[in-house]
Amino acid sequence: MLPFYLLTFAATIQAHNQLLPGSCNFESDTCGYTSDADFTSWTLHKDGRFVAVDGVMSDNQAGEIGAETGPQRAITGVLLSPALEQDEWSCLRLVYQISGSGSLEVLQRTEGKSFDKPLWNSQAASDSWVISSMDLQNNTEPYRVVLEGKPGGSAGSSVAIFEIHISSGYCLECDFEESHLCGYSNQWNANVNWYVGGGQLLHNNIPKDHTYNNKTGHLMYVDSIYAKTFKEVAKLVSPMTTVPMSGCLSFQYQRSERRGNLFSVYTRDQLGQYQELWRADTEILSDWSGTLEEWIPVQVDLKAPYSVQVVFEVSFNSPRGGRIAIDDISFSPEFCSTDTEPTFDPSIASCNFESGFCRYTQDQGMLSSWKRVSVKPNIFRNGDHTTGAGYFLLAHSRLSPGSGYVSRLIGPTLPGNMKYCLRFYYSLRGFNQTDQALAVYQQQQQSSSQEKIWTQGENSRGLWITTDVTFQTSQPAKVVFVSTCRSFWDCGSVALDDISVSLGDCELTAGLLALSLPGHCDFEAGLCGYTQDKQSDDADWEFRRGSTPTSYTGPRGDHTTGLGYYLYVEASPMLPGESVRLLSRPLRASRGPQCLRFYYHMYGSGTGQLGIHLRKDRKDALLWQLSGEQSIAWLRATVEYQSDSQHQIVFEATRGSSVRSDIAIDDIILEGGPCPEMEIKATVGTSNEIE
């Protein structure tokens, strides 16, 4: 069983920071938390004051929480909070431990919605308890906190929860009066570190705290007395933000010396990259040994569209660098100054070209231009990436006068001093030399100078390929897509679609996207909870990358990236009329409509049938069905349905008359609410002849 490391945690809760419903220390009971009966039970250990789910279940477990241990499968314990009604922003702090191996995930469950909203997760094992914080945004509807623990298969693995604290305000805020320090931590240094001061500790020369203005209150301070080398650095690090935030960060500080130290505040993202927010004025002096012990207030604008930590950093160059103290960190969603520019919305630079060129323009003087075209679904030419039957941009040398051409597509202006992630899909066909077929430049607005940030290196064989480009602007700039053809005979077609721009490094935005779509599955990392129907199946859905084994049927690549995985039915070993079924995990009832969107590929002269069923009470109801060969392209399907009871979605593919009957699916998205009314009806005309 998990060893007990939590000796004392938050013994005294100050009245000014009262805990909200949903908080629990598991000392005598579970405070209304219960185990989900469909999963392994969490066990209450009263002697150690924690709840745990273990990797190896024993027969004589005592103190189970509201459920019996179910059949042995992959062990998962789901702990549900009582219903919570908190319409103000609050912070959930979790004290937990993963022993051996395993994972812990925290989600938010709202009644009437089929999917839980992911808040936080971890797979990092530790030898003692760990504190993590997560912001709970304003919520007008009652909700439950869901804690999903999955101990690993190794001996001694378990997942334990010691404390759950929910308090009003933001997780960045702290007055350092509680023993958990709001999840703030000192990044250990051999010589200089941040310490807790006050609380009538034996530090007579430590100033009064700011919260209570007395010696019993607490603060954080760092002292240069133990500095031994040049530029000793001490770092106090906030918990990682878990939701996009922007507003005013405030704190109080004191500084005993104006020389010999440097006090700065940074943000640090998940890649470890720093950005300075503020630096102390070298002329400010507050003498702690004097009678006027003044706290200096600081306000600084914080823009965090992705997860960051706030780092309070002090560097000393000698043991006489003095001391620095901070207290009362707070946050407001309003910027400190009304002159502050709002957080830039990068979606203005995103476009799928279904309704035009969005904010993209072209050079009027160019001999050739990007043309907005569509292709009717057929078995010879690929359609667009968005729906398979919509619009995309095409630069084509055969229609250009003269021996060559340059096509330039210019995006809207992006603010300077920011990092961006550019993502787009492209498709090349017929190029002998691809190094100039498509390139992306960053064009400075003031100087008009250009810097190449991406170039295509190989032919995509007509597939839609995605690429991510991270770039930084020092001044306002535009993204420019350039296709160059020097010789008529060396060039083919260049297609462009689904451009999106987001703030931050592409490695960061990819993680946020995955977390924000709980009903999304692109099959890049498995089945996402979908299962094969072993009872009525004649075969299985199979993972595939690239083209399928049988010629003239199936896709040549997946829809997500062009180079990833999709799920398909191999028709060769099956008989005509045999079917394969894929089941979603059980989905909760919903009050309103649900929207299912997915991409399907039905190419081949003997293609059979693809159907979507709603399964509940062991009965299937047909929601959507399509038969026969459709297109060489991936096509998007949209299905709206409603279910007032637990249900499953079933994908059923039926083999057609011949082996050329491979059927594939990819990029499934299930979400609450009605489907958006934006199904694209392809315009048929001369556009078929362009590609």
Side-chain angles (χ1 to χ4, degrees):
M1 183 51 62
L2 188 98
F4 174 61
Y5 287 96
L6 191 63
L7 301 177
T8 304
F9 181 75
T12 304
I13 303 300
Q14 303 292 341
H16 71 279
N17 195 14
Q18 201 68 35
L19 292 181
L20 298 175
S23 302
C24 192
N25 59 14
F26 302 105
E27 286 191 4
S28 57
D29 58 25
T30 61
C31 316
Y33 281 81
T34 57
S35 287
D36 190 322
D38 293 331
F39 298 89
T40 302
S41 292
W42 288 78
T43 304
L44 174 64
H45 297 262
K46 294 183 179 179
D47 55 337
R49 296 183 299 178
F50 63 90
V51 291
V53 57
D54 298 315
V56 180
M57 305 297 291
S58 60
D59 295 330
N60 57 350
Q61 281 185 326
E64 292 178 351
I65 309 169
E68 296 298 324
T69 302
Q72 284 294 311
R73 50 182 177 177
I75 296 176
T76 300
V78 176
L79 192 64
L80 302 174
S81 77
L84 306 176
E85 296 187 30
Q86 294 160 8
D87 55 358
E88 297 295 328
W89 195 294
S90 56
C91 175
L92 187 154
R93 293 189 177 94
L94 183 70
V95 185
Y96 71 97
Q97 183 180 357
I98 300 173
S99 294
S101 62
S103 66
L104 178 61
E105 184 171 15
V106 181
L107 308 101
Q108 192 174 34
R109 176 173 298 178
T110 304
E111 195 66 33
K113 293 186 179 180
S114 294
F115 294 98
D116 299 330
K117 176 185 176 182
L119 298 176
W120 168 91
N121 65 77
S122 176
Q123 298 180 357
S126 65
D127 294 329
S128 63
W129 53 267
V130 180
I131 301 175
S132 283
S133 306
M134 56 217 75
D135 284 289
L136 302 176
Q137 295 172 280
N138 305 3
N139 203 330
T140 56
E141 299 182 65
Y143 65 90
R144 296 178 188 270
V145 174
V146 181
L147 300 107
E148 188 173 293
K150 296 181 180 180
S154 58
S157 293
S158 65
V159 178
I161 298 171
F162 296 94
E163 303 246 2
I164 300 172
H165 279 195
I166 303 178
S167 56
S168 59
Y170 295 81
C171 290
L172 285 177
E173 297 180 317
C174 197
D175 57 14
F176 304 108
E177 299 302 331
E178 300 178 32
S179 56
H180 56 62
L181 303 180
C182 318
Y184 278 78
S185 60
N186 170 68
Q187 190 168 310
W188 190 82
N189 180 297
N191 299 318
V192 293
N193 292 280
W194 286 91
Y195 296 99
V196 180
Q200 293 182 329
L201 299 174
L202 298 178
H203 296 288
N204 296 327
N205 53 355
I206 296 299
K208 295 177 182 179
D209 85 319
H210 181 267
T211 311
Y212 297 111
N213 192 31
N214 61 28
K215 294 283 188 177
T216 61
H218 296 83
L219 50 85
M220 297 297 295
Y221 76 98
V222 57
D223 198 319
S224 65
I225 190 171
Y226 298 112
K228 293 182 179 179
T229 62
F230 180 72
K231 206 168 183 182
E232 295 271 13
V233 177
K235 295 181 181 181
L236 181 68
V237 183
S238 79
M240 185 76 71
T241 62
T242 55
V243 296
M245 296 172 63
S246 62
C248 184
L249 179 72
S250 305
F251 62 93
Q252 303 280 338
Y253 83 98
Q254 285 194 12
R255 194 178 184 197
S256 66
E257 298 286 345
R258 67 169 177 258
R259 294 188 179 90
N261 65 63
L262 186 64
F263 179 29
S264 305
V265 180
Y266 300 88
T267 58
R268 182 172 69 187
D269 63 26
Q270 291 175 307
L271 299 178
Q273 298 170 342
Y274 285 77
Q275 183 172 359
E276 186 175 271
L277 295 179
W278 172 88
R279 180 177 295 188
D281 190 335
T282 56
E283 295 304 315
I284 291 178
L285 177 63
S286 178
D287 187 359
W288 286 4
S289 61
T291 57
L292 296 176
E293 296 173 346
E294 294 183 358
W295 285 93
I296 302 169
V298 174
Q299 290 188 327
V300 57
D301 287 323
L302 172 67
K303 296 180 180 180
Y306 44 84
S307 295
V308 298
Q309 294 169 300
V310 176
V311 181
F312 295 86
E313 181 178 290
V314 177
S315 58
F316 299 107
N317 59 15
S318 76
R320 295 182 299 276
R323 280 175 293 197
I324 288 179
I326 64 170
D327 201 3
D328 290 346
I329 302 169
S330 62
F331 181 80
S332 166
E334 304 293 330
F335 284 120
C336 311
S337 169
T338 55
D339 297 332
T340 302
E341 291 286 334
T343 303
F344 174 67
D345 180 7
S347 65
I348 66 165
S350 300
C351 193
N352 61 12
F353 304 105
E354 300 301 337
S355 302
F357 278 82
C358 306
R359 299 196 181 195
Y360 284 82
T361 59
Q362 303 191 67
D363 283 346
Q364 298 297 324
M366 287 291 173
L367 294 176
S368 179
S369 63
W370 291 88
K371 294 177 174 60
R372 180 172 164 265
V373 301
S374 67
V375 175
K376 182 180 179 181
N378 64 88
I379 62 172
F380 303 107
R381 299 180 180 90
N382 214 355
D384 80 321
H385 180 265
T386 314
T387 67
Y391 287 88
F392 59 97
L393 297 190
L394 193 66
H396 198 296
S397 66
R398 302 291 192 260
L399 301 180
S400 304
S403 60
Y405 72 90
V406 177
S407 297
R408 286 166 49 88
L409 182 71
I410 305 168
T413 302
L414 304 175
N417 196 29
M418 298 184 73
K419 184 174 287 187
Y420 297 94
C421 175
L422 168 68
R423 175 172 297 163
F424 60 92
Y425 287 83
Y426 67 93
S427 178
L428 305 184
R429 187 174 297 172
F431 271 86
N432 293 330
Q433 301 292 328
T434 62
D435 59 335
Q436 293 183 322
L438 182 62
V440 182
Y441 293 84
Q442 174 184 331
Q443 179 177 296
Q444 305 291 345
Q445 185 178 25
Q446 295 177 347
S447 63
S448 296
S449 62
Q450 289 193 153
E451 176 190 354
K452 184 182 290 187
I453 57 175
W454 178 87
T455 187
Q456 163 60 14
E458 57 186 63
N459 206 314
S460 65
R461 299 179 292 114
L463 293 173
W464 283 110
I465 305 292
T466 186
T467 189
D468 291 345
V469 183
T470 299
F471 66 98
Q472 184 137 9
T473 59
S474 58
Q475 56 179 290
K478 298 179 179 182
V479 169
V480 182
F481 294 85
V482 179
S483 179
T484 305
C485 173
R486 298 194 180 281
S487 167
F488 178 87
W489 302 107
D490 285 341
C491 303
S493 62
V494 183
L496 189 62
D497 202 4
D498 290 346
I499 301 172
S500 65
V501 177
S502 54
L503 297 176
D505 195 289
C506 290
E507 289 187 50
L508 299 175
T509 56
L512 274 180
L513 182 65
L515 195 65
S516 63
L517 293 173
H520 176 225
C521 189
D522 57 15
F523 303 110
E524 299 302 323
L527 286 174
C528 319
Y530 286 85
T531 56
Q532 310 274 2
D533 188 348
K534 297 295 185 182
Q535 296 181 349
S536 57
D537 260 6
D538 297 302
D540 280 338
W541 289 87
E542 300 178 20
F543 284 101
R544 188 73 185 180
R545 193 175 187 179
S547 58
T548 61
T550 310
S551 58
Y552 300 105
T553 186
R556 289 180 293 170
D558 79 323
H559 179 266
T560 314
T561 67
L563 304 172
Y565 290 91
Y566 57 89
L567 222 53
Y568 89 109
V569 175
E570 176 56 53
S572 302
M574 299 172 63
L575 297 175
E578 289 187 335
S579 62
V580 178
R581 290 160 60 89
L582 184 73
L583 309 178
S584 74
R585 64 173 178 81
L587 304 171
R588 295 192 305 278
S590 61
R591 293 198 192 103
Q594 301 280 98
C595 184
L596 166 67
R597 287 181 290 167
F598 65 97
Y599 287 84
Y600 63 92
H601 198 282
M602 299 175 70
Y603 164 61
S605 57
T607 300
Q609 182 174 279
L610 177 62
I612 308 298
H613 303 269
L614 179 69
R615 186 180 197 185
K616 55 182 179 179
D617 302 326
R618 299 185 179 181
K619 295 180 181 178
D620 288 355
L622 183 66
L623 296 176
W624 178 93
Q625 186 173 274
L626 204 57
S627 301
E629 186 176 51
Q630 299 298 316
S631 175
I632 199 171
W634 285 97
L635 301 176
R636 187 176 72 184
T638 302
V639 182
E640 190 174 299
Y641 73 94
Q642 192 162 345
S643 179
D644 55 4
S645 60
Q646 190 179 78
H647 59 283
Q648 290 175 286
I649 298 296
V650 182
F651 291 82
E652 183 175 34
T654 304
R655 198 248 204 205
S657 58
S658 75
V659 294
R660 293 193 173 95
S661 182
D662 294 348
I663 295 176
I665 57 174
D666 201 4
D667 289 342
I668 302 171
I669 296 180
L670 259 169
E671 54 191 357
C675 294
E677 297 180 4
M678 56 169 294
E679 284 307 294
I680 306 302
K681 296 180 180 179
T683 302
V684 183
T686 57
S687 59
N688 266 335
E689 298 157 17
I690 293 179
E691 193 180 1

